[in-house]
Amino acid sequence: MSSKPAIGFCGLGAMGMGMATHLVKQGYPVTGFDVYPPSLNKFESAGGTPSSSLSASAKDKSFYIVMVASAMQAQPALFDEEGIVKALPKGATLILCSTVPSAYVKSVEKELVDMGRDDVFFIDAPVSGGAGRAADGTLSIMAGASSAAMEKGKWLLEEMSAPKKLFIVEGGIGAGSNMKMVHQVLAAIQILSLNEAYGFAARLGLNGKDVYDTVLGSKGWSWMFENRSQRTLKEDYFPGASAVTIILKDTSIITSMSRSVGFPATLCSVAEQVYFSALDRGWGANDDAGLVRLWTPEPVAKIESKLSAEDKEAKFQLVVNLLTGIHLVSAAESISLAKHVGIPLPQFYDLACDAAGGSTMFKEAGERMISILEGKEDGKGRVLGGYIETLKEAVSEAQAIKCPLYLGTGALNLLLQTGSGLSLAALLSCYMP
């Protein structure tokens, strides 16, 4: 018999399975529910206790974690007659780890009160880091809640997160989801950017493995590029580890929220349209690392380059320049939205630098952008000229070979809006009046 508290868990998908089995390995008795029977079997094999009903999984559980894909899935799981909330014991701690709109988690808080369950300690705690980190207990977690709820549930969040990767965001319920939303600005753009880069490289006649090696040590690096390349280079898309529908759902949260608060989420809106195109082709359940197929049917790792060494080097640089320009603008878009919705900017910077949205350009330019938005410097130094010129070269080459660069063109147009200032302050002014 374990001396550790029993935990209920709903949602044993790629991330949820990792989180739940990690807790099992740490010695917690975990009862898990999922609508997909093979997931329950897998969870049982890993030492967990499978449950065939939500209410049974919540009965007598003082701690309960929900890790479903969307608000549409969370609502009935939480509030149906045979759902989680009605079965939870008095004073239970309920943690919602799904990526959902902040407006939705606020509605959950209100519904708990309206149905007489204000005794439940509710925590808004979306996560980032992928299935591997979920299984290792090294996720980044962004949590918002009342101080009383945080006091109850912090230990459990610490069990699932890496040291120093539990970010308690001021502002209560909704603050955790808003922090995750602004982080996903980076993720949404950078997932598409790596596919765009491989597609552009393929049209230039470059082998994908060579592109990977070149980008890793360059200013074009991002966590998403390094992570997703493992699947892009192997064509591991069916079903892969992260479906297009997942990043599309996150992107749509960003664009919907942006419209509601009057914020121009320019590159995220471009990304959303491309994700819709993939959905139209029936690729929704395929891995998002396979969007490169919008540019080329040929496996990028099998392209045989016939270019001279000098031509190769010049074309590799075009690909790096494309990524660098996109990532610079994505940093501005994410940080500006964070400012717009009241997220603490230094905390966001610390989170994103070492999370799935991290990139060399975010790390290098993000700190200065935050200083500008916080009024600590004017940011008027001419620092963007080189980036504009190199991105312009990449876009011009793409135009010459009739290769679509959705994000590249969007990023260049934003940079060109900076006019003669060519400064970080001018770029941020494209987002913040």
Side-chain angles (χ1 to χ4, degrees):
M1 240 352 232
S2 173
S3 60
K4 295 189 174 182
I7 298 167
F9 203 104
C10 171
L12 300 170
M15 290 283 285
M17 182 68 74
M19 293 162 70
T21 54
H22 167 72
L23 291 170
V24 169
K25 288 174 193 166
Q26 298 309 301
Y28 294 94
V30 183
T31 300
F33 172 84
D34 198 276
V35 294
Y36 187 53
S39 293
L40 291 173
N41 295 337
K42 184 179 176 182
F43 183 57
E44 185 173 24
S45 300
T49 302
S51 176
S52 58
S53 84
L54 279 166
S55 58
S57 72
K59 188 174 186 295
D60 299 326
K61 303 299 185 303
S62 293
F63 297 91
Y64 201 100
I65 298 166
V66 178
M67 187 56 190
V68 294
S70 65
M72 195 178 295
Q73 290 181 4
Q75 184 64 13
L78 288 169
F79 295 113
D80 273 4
E81 193 61 36
E82 294 298 314
I84 295 160
V85 172
K86 288 196 174 178
L88 286 175
K90 190 171 178 61
T93 300
L94 173 64
I95 303 175
L96 180 59
C97 290
S98 307
T99 299
V100 296
S102 59
Y104 175 69
V105 287
K106 288 176 181 175
S107 77
V108 170
E109 182 180 44
K110 183 178 184 300
E111 194 161 348
L112 286 168
V113 172
D114 290 347
M115 68 186 293
R117 289 307 312 261
D118 53 349
D119 62 287
V120 172
F121 294 93
F122 179 49
I123 301 177
D124 162 32
V127 303
S128 177
R133 288 190 186 183
D136 293 341
T138 57
L139 289 167
S140 296
I141 300 182
M142 297 135 269
S146 68
S147 55
M150 197 60 72
E151 194 176 323
K152 284 274 188 180
K154 185 179 176 186
W155 68 269
L156 183 48
L157 299 173
E158 287 173 340
E159 284 282 16
M160 298 185 289
S161 58
K164 299 184 180 176
K165 295 303 173 191
L166 171 57
F167 296 88
I168 296 172
V169 189
E170 289 181 12
I173 295 298
S177 285
N178 273 341
M179 178 70 92
K180 177 65 188 288
M181 176 189 69
V182 296
H183 173 269
Q184 291 306 95
V185 170
L186 298 166
I189 295 167
Q190 282 151 212
I191 285 170
L192 181 56
S193 74
L194 78 98
N195 284 282
E196 189 165 299
Y198 276 118
F200 182 39
R203 299 279 190 98
L204 292 171
L206 299 171
N207 178 274
K209 289 178 181 174
D210 294 337
V211 172
Y212 175 76
D213 292 339
T214 301
V215 170
L216 278 202
S218 76
K219 284 196 171 188
W221 176 87
S222 70
W223 188 93
M224 283 296 182
F225 182 91
E226 185 167 351
N227 176 269
R228 295 304 200 267
S229 288
Q230 311 310 312
R231 303 199 285 277
T232 302
L233 295 175
K234 294 175 186 170
E235 292 193 287
D236 180 15
Y237 312 145
F238 314 105
S242 190
V244 170
T245 49
I246 295 173
I247 192 59
L248 174 56
K249 181 259 298 182
D250 292 0
T251 310
S252 294
I253 289 172
I254 297 161
T255 57
S256 296
M257 168 66 100
S258 295
R259 284 192 297 273
S260 73
V261 298
F263 179 84
T266 309
L267 291 193
C268 278
S269 297
V270 170
E272 183 179 44
Q273 297 306 306
V274 181
Y275 295 143
F276 285 151
S277 296
L279 204 64
D280 280 346
R281 290 175 181 235
W283 297 355
N286 299 168
D287 198 277
D288 56 33
L291 293 173
V292 68
R293 291 173 292 159
L294 291 169
W295 284 266
T296 175
E298 188 177 0
V300 297
K302 294 181 180 175
I303 292 171
E304 293 184 19
S305 183
K306 300 177 176 66
L307 301 166
S308 68
E310 189 178 353
D311 275 354
K312 264 191 195 177
E313 189 174 345
K315 291 181 189 300
F316 281 136
Q317 194 58 53
L318 289 173
V319 176
V320 169
N321 292 344
L322 171 68
L323 288 167
T324 302
I326 293 169
H327 296 166
L328 173 65
V329 177
S330 74
E333 189 159 312
S334 63
I335 290 169
S336 298
L337 181 57
K339 171 78 170 173
H340 204 84
V341 298
I343 291 297
L345 299 184
Q347 190 180 39
F348 173 52
Y349 180 79
D350 289 344
L351 163 72
C353 276
D354 193 32
S359 71
T360 300
M361 289 309 296
F362 183 89
K363 192 165 189 177
E364 288 188 5
E367 208 160 19
R368 281 204 64 201
M369 291 178 182
I370 289 168
S371 290
I372 294 162
L373 290 177
E374 293 188 332
K376 294 174 183 173
E377 63 172 292
D378 62 19
K380 290 180 180 175
R382 293 165 63 88
V383 297
L384 299 183
Y387 295 118
I388 292 174
E389 289 309 311
T390 54
L391 184 54
K392 197 185 290 183
E393 287 172 13
V395 170
S396 295
E397 180 64 23
Q399 185 178 38
I401 63 174
K402 306 295 185 286
C403 174
L405 293 185
Y406 306 101
L407 291 173
T409 304
L412 178 60
N413 286 338
L414 276 164
L415 289 170
L416 290 171
Q417 282 182 45
T418 63
S420 59
L422 301 178
S423 66
L424 287 178
L427 173 56
L428 292 167
S429 72
C430 295
Y431 291 102
M432 305 288 290

